[in-house]
Amino acid sequence: MDFSLSEEQIMLRDMVQDFAAHEIAPVISHFEDNHLFPAEIVRKMGELGLMGMTIPPEYGGSKTDSLSFILALEELSRVSPTICLLLSVHASLFARGILEFGTAEQKAKYLPRAARGEIVGAFSLTEPGAGSDVTALKTKAVRNGRHYILNGVKAWVTTGSEAEALILFAQTEKEAGPRKLSAFIVERNFPGFRVARIEEKMGLHSSLTAEIALEDCRVPVENLLGEEGKGASIALHLLDGSRIGIAAQAVGLSQQALELAVRYAKQRQAFGHPIAEFQAIQFMIADIATLVEASRLLTYRAADAYDRGLPYAKEAAMAKLYSSEAANRVAYLALQIHGGYGYSKEYQIERIYRDARVLSIYEGTSEIQRLVIARHLLKDSSIR
Ligand SMILES: Cc1cc2nc3c(=O)[nH]c(=O)nc-3n(C[C@H](O)[C@H](O)[C@H](O)COP(=O)(O)OP(=O)(O)OC[C@H]3O[C@@H](n4cnc5c(N)ncnc54)[C@H](O)[C@@H]3O)c2cc1C
């Protein structure tokens, strides 16, 4: 397996690194500290083509291979896991969802604006009573002439208060029948759509996570995404791919933690020496670097499988499971190297420690990733 990057991939990675250093790093604390949506950064990402990285040129996008997209997410996450998450949901779940399951009209209506960053997309599967178990979704969509009427509450919607459109999942079968999910493209200005509240979270503060109330929300029938009743397979298919993006988010965050730990260890003096001279600190640095590299390799391998058209669901789950758990360990160790200062908001590692925690929860908890991996292994006929 060869992960030496092509000239284009290196150029793209360097361009995103430069953008993150100059356009995100100097301002992101303001958005994080004040829990504000970074609209100006999104606008600039649109101009640069980053918002359209999963959208083909015929819809105005700058579609790249998956590994290039992963490199971009990793670079963004080094500086801001929040911006990385915003892009990952927009590009991997919303845009890819419409690209892969949408009608010609839906693609023409949403993708060009999504590619330019004029609209930001979200993905709304979770409900207050249903996260890992999507069969427990209660939101109902009932057909009434040229509309579906949606009623229910959707929870934990990343960018939910700012997104102009969401891919949203609801039950379309009657009370007594089998539970069948369907996917809809719901616009925030549809009647009956209301942002009920914004979650107060431990981290990722400039990612606004919303609860959405649907009260007789009128969704035109042409906004059904894919076939009626096929929502569950659409959701699971999209999540299989987007998990590689969350793994990349973990890699970028971990890389930043590594760099901060090394820098701090060289500067901080104790007992008349830089703490980097103590073997205990060196061991922590070595462990961090090894975790980062293993995470990166699993993530690139999953992206590579995706690019080659090979099965990638198990690989994506492994990358997400490992990288997210590793990021938590990395953040713990890097903060430990910072001593008391690591616990201060003045040091970036404090924010990284908080941001890392959610990685093993969203887009499928670690327990769910293990189930996905085990199911693939147990039905693998080559293992006797
Ligand atoms: C910051 C943030 C952003 C999010 N963004 C989005 C978004 O944009 N769109 C969206 O739809 N959702 C989003 N989510 C929701 C997220 O995907 C869910 O929180 C996640 O899937 C877990 O669901 P849950 O919270 O209901 O936990 P539960 O499903 O209630 O799980 C609770 C615990 O039980 C375990 N568990 C559950 N089932 C099993 C099982 N079968 N075997 C073993 N253990 C099990 C879980 O692993 C977990 O440890 C977001 C969440 C957060 C925190």
Side-chain angles (χ1 to χ4, degrees):
M1 216 176 304
D2 178 14
F3 291 134
S4 49
L5 302 179
S6 69
E7 226 170 273
E8 291 79 35
Q9 286 168 332
I10 292 169
M11 270 170 56
L12 175 96
R13 187 196 58 195
D14 292 352
M15 184 269 282
V16 179
Q17 198 174 89
D18 192 60
F19 173 77
H22 293 101
E23 303 289 347
I24 302 179
V27 294
I28 195 64
S29 305
H30 166 72
F31 295 102
E32 282 290 310
D33 295 348
N34 296 294
H35 299 224
L36 295 173
F37 181 72
E40 183 59 11
I41 296 176
V42 174
R43 191 187 61 72
K44 288 180 180 167
M45 283 166 53
E47 281 174 5
L48 211 57
L50 294 178
M51 299 296 280
M53 287 185 77
T54 57
I55 302 174
E58 64 258 40
Y59 299 108
S62 52
K63 189 168 181 357
T64 62
D65 57 282
S66 175
L67 184 54
S68 297
F69 180 52
I70 286 316
L71 292 168
L73 290 175
E74 185 183 330
E75 287 304 326
L76 291 172
S77 187
R78 272 179 65 196
V79 171
S80 169
T82 294
I83 300 288
C84 172
L85 175 66
L86 182 152
L87 177 60
S88 183
V89 170
H90 169 84
S92 295
L93 292 171
F94 178 77
R96 209 178 256 161
I98 294 179
L99 185 69
E100 292 189 20
F101 298 99
T103 60
E105 291 74 24
Q106 289 169 345
K107 290 179 199 175
K109 182 169 181 194
Y110 294 105
L111 292 181
R113 286 188 297 148
R116 292 192 294 270
E118 286 168 17
I119 61 168
V120 180
F123 180 87
S124 177
L125 182 63
T126 305
E127 294 183 2
S132 307
D133 178 9
V134 296
T135 63
L137 292 196
K138 287 201 164 64
T139 296
K140 283 213 161 49
V142 178
R143 178 112 186 224
N144 181 359
R146 297 297 305 156
H147 287 86
Y148 284 93
I149 309 297
L150 272 58
N151 278 289
V153 178
K154 305 302 286 185
W156 295 104
V157 191
T158 295
T159 328
S161 57
E162 309 302 311
E164 282 81 2
L166 304 81
I167 295 182
L168 187 147
F169 297 84
Q171 302 280 2
T172 35
E173 289 299 292
K174 289 188 191 71
E175 212 71 58
R179 299 193 142 201
K180 286 254 170 92
L181 285 188
S182 297
F184 299 89
I185 307 171
V186 178
E187 295 183 23
R188 62 183 295 171
N189 58 11
F190 284 170
F193 181 99
R194 183 167 64 83
V195 175
R197 70 189 178 103
I198 306 290
E199 295 292 342
E200 290 198 24
K201 309 193 299 298
M202 176 192 282
L204 300 178
H205 287 155
S206 57
S207 171
L208 303 189
T209 313
E211 184 174 284
I212 307 283
L214 301 161
E215 293 150 346
D216 289 334
C217 179
R218 290 167 67 78
V219 178
V221 287
E222 54 272 20
N223 278 43
L224 175 72
L225 182 70
E227 277 177 54
E228 196 180 285
K230 298 282 191 227
S233 60
I234 292 175
L236 296 181
H237 170 80
L238 291 173
L239 285 166
D240 277 344
S242 74
R243 273 177 194 143
I244 312 173
I246 301 303
Q249 186 189 23
V251 175
L253 175 147
S254 297
Q255 177 66 34
Q256 181 67 355
L258 168 64
E259 290 169 22
L260 291 171
V262 169
R263 209 172 296 146
Y264 190 83
K266 287 187 191 167
Q267 285 164 4
R268 177 69 177 170
Q269 300 273 328
F271 300 96
H273 296 272
I275 59 169
E277 288 181 13
F278 302 138
Q279 204 176 44
I281 299 290
Q282 292 173 4
F283 281 9
M284 284 197 262
I285 290 172
D287 284 350
I288 293 173
T290 307
L291 288 164
V292 176
E293 212 44 42
S295 302
R296 181 173 284 122
L297 286 173
L298 276 175
T299 304
Y300 289 7
R301 188 179 76 127
D304 184 65
Y306 186 100
D307 281 333
R308 287 173 199 265
L310 298 170
Y312 61 86
K314 180 183 75 192
E315 289 69 16
M318 284 178 166
K320 202 273 184 182
L321 170 64
Y322 187 86
S323 308
S324 61
E325 301 263 331
N328 276 281
R329 181 75 187 141
V330 164
Y332 177 89
L333 292 172
L335 194 148
Q336 189 70 14
I337 290 172
H338 282 71
Y341 290 102
Y343 203 61
S344 160
K345 283 203 178 292
E346 283 190 22
Y347 282 76
Q348 219 183 322
I349 195 65
E350 182 269 346
R351 198 251 315 134
I352 289 176
Y353 185 81
R354 287 183 288 103
D355 286 352
R357 189 60 192 89
V358 75
L359 293 166
S360 59
I361 295 172
Y362 56 30
E363 299 212 12
T365 62
S366 287
E367 292 70 42
I368 296 302
Q369 305 309 322
R370 289 189 173 94
L371 288 179
V372 171
I373 296 163
R375 275 181 198 145
H376 276 88
L377 290 168
L378 293 171
K379 68 176 186 214
D380 182 346
S381 57
S382 71
I383 305 176
R384 287 165 210 272

